[in-house]
Amino acid sequence: MKKIFSALFLLAGAITILSTAAPGCKAKPKDANIKTSIEAALKSDPQTSGLSVDVKEGVATVTGEVKDASVQATVATIVGGIKGVKSVLNNVTVTPPVVITPDDPLTMAVKDATKDFTGITATVKDGIIYVTGELKSADWKKLKMALDGLKPKKVDAAGLKISK
Amino acid sequence: MQLKDKYKDLMDAAVASGVNNLQVREQDGVLYIDGEAPSGVVKDQLWETYNKLDPDFLSGDVVMNVNVSPSIPGTKVKVTTERSNLNIRKGPGTDQPIVGKAAHHEIVTLVSQSNDQWWLIRTNDGEEGYAYAQYLTPEPN
């Protein structure tokens, strides 16, 4: 009987210590630690590695750009699954990747666009339009406007000389 | 330097001038700017700004595809060639047969802008076909 009594006494003591200590020392991860865990999870996938996160009292706010809506939805699942995250504020926006015109139709379109410009040659390779030769500044502006409208990967004018 | 920093003035100008569906994307060292300008004047101003940030557009780090918002079919457009006549073709492409010509500074009717580069037009004589959009300028109403 004495043994049981002392055991009860110890238990009661332990409860008292725990309950008084609890407010000062919560057994849940700190915001900074949660942030680190989320960042590590997002970094592991190239589709989400560019995103940034901020955690305040367990609420995780994710910002940045992804390529489509499915990745955007995955972000909420991944972040929501991290220990200590109470809720997720998904501020991630969807930006579809740039669509580049394939070389064959691009070559045709470049031929149309450059038809009336003399003194230059334009070739297409891997989506890049290479312009070489010499053009007046005003004509080059007109041509560059037209070429940019053909959705190339880039317009390379390293071989172009501009005359006044 | 990040391209979005280098071309910040251009981005700001696009937003301030009311470019619709504006999309600015950086991919493989090129900044892609897409959208619809409310007028040809706005488009010209954007190209002026671009020219200031990258004189004569020689860096090759921007592809700016900002079109002027499509006009309503039936709109009058002017043939703005240097001085020559404008070929009207059967289909969209310089490989297509020429079916007519529109004179320099002639006013024609816009039928369709379904193709960005080649607009379907009709002359006052009733000739209809595709002409290169670069040489067509919508007339102010």
Side-chain angles (χ1 to χ4, degrees):
Chain A
M1 183 65 187
K2 201 187 173 188
K3 263 189 183 168
I4 294 168
F5 185 78
S6 59
L8 273 173
F9 182 80
L10 271 176
L11 189 63
I15 288 166
T16 317
I17 291 165
L18 270 180
S19 58
T20 48
C25 155
K26 285 177 186 166
K28 55 183 177 183
K30 284 181 187 163
D31 285 346
N33 297 342
I34 300 170
K35 186 176 185 299
T36 311
S37 307
I38 296 172
E39 280 170 349
L42 294 175
K43 284 271 181 297
S44 65
D45 185 342
Q47 297 196 98
T48 57
S49 59
L51 301 174
S52 51
V53 67
D54 199 37
V55 182
K56 215 170 181 183
E57 290 171 17
V59 180
T61 307
V62 196
T63 48
E65 291 174 357
V66 293
K67 71 171 174 65
D68 62 42
S70 75
V71 180
Q72 187 190 33
T74 315
V75 169
T77 318
I78 293 171
V79 177
I82 304 285
K83 200 183 166 204
V85 173
K86 277 192 215 160
S87 63
V88 183
L89 195 58
N90 193 349
N91 285 348
V92 171
T93 53
V94 175
T95 309
V98 179
V99 178
I100 310 291
T101 309
D103 279 2
D104 284 352
L106 186 59
T107 306
M108 294 274 289
V110 167
K111 198 180 140 211
D112 291 349
T114 52
K115 178 180 159 278
D116 297 335
F117 292 86
T118 48
I120 55 119
T121 316
T123 50
V124 172
K125 193 169 185 283
D126 300 328
I128 302 173
I129 305 172
Y130 295 90
V131 185
T132 55
E134 190 172 339
L135 267 184
K136 278 184 189 155
S137 178
D139 287 339
W140 166 233
K141 184 182 174 184
K142 271 186 219 160
L143 180 59
K144 165 80 166 139
M145 283 169 115
L147 296 179
D148 278 12
L150 308 177
K151 298 184 172 70
K153 186 179 167 73
K154 96 185 241 184
V155 178
D156 186 321
L160 182 71
K161 194 174 167 244
I162 305 293
S163 52
K164 290 298 153 195
Chain B
M1 186 165 65
Q2 291 281 309
L3 289 175
K4 281 184 183 172
D5 295 333
K6 178 178 174 186
Y7 292 103
K8 188 180 177 297
D9 287 356
L10 186 54
M11 318 284 78
D12 291 348
V15 173
S17 58
V19 171
N20 281 317
N21 301 322
L22 180 66
Q23 263 193 329
V24 180
R25 293 170 288 187
E26 195 173 333
Q27 197 169 295
D28 301 328
V30 179
L31 191 68
Y32 298 85
I33 305 163
D34 295 85
E36 275 174 17
S39 68
V41 175
V42 167
K43 182 180 173 174
D44 286 342
Q45 284 167 350
L46 291 176
W47 278 86
E48 283 298 315
T49 308
Y50 175 17
N51 200 7
K52 271 182 204 143
L53 300 172
D54 178 26
D56 281 327
F57 325 105
L58 291 171
S59 300
D61 53 6
V62 165
V63 171
M64 182 156 74
N65 182 22
V66 175
N67 291 316
V68 177
S69 300
S71 305
I72 304 154
T75 305
K76 299 292 178 190
V77 292
K78 191 175 185 176
V79 176
T80 45
T81 46
E82 204 88 336
R83 62 185 77 83
S84 59
N85 293 334
L86 180 64
N87 289 331
I88 301 173
R89 294 173 184 272
K90 194 179 176 188
T94 50
D95 54 346
Q96 295 288 316
I98 295 167
V99 294
K101 280 183 192 294
H104 173 65
H105 281 181
E106 185 178 333
I107 309 287
V108 297
T109 307
L110 179 68
V111 179
S112 164
Q113 277 178 317
S114 57
N115 183 308
D116 279 346
Q117 273 74 47
W118 293 90
W119 291 356
L120 186 58
I121 58 160
R122 188 170 49 239
T123 65
N124 287 341
D125 303 335
E127 286 175 336
E128 190 171 308
Y130 293 84
Y132 206 59
Q134 202 189 336
Y135 301 116
L136 296 168
T137 309
E139 283 283 276
N141 291 319

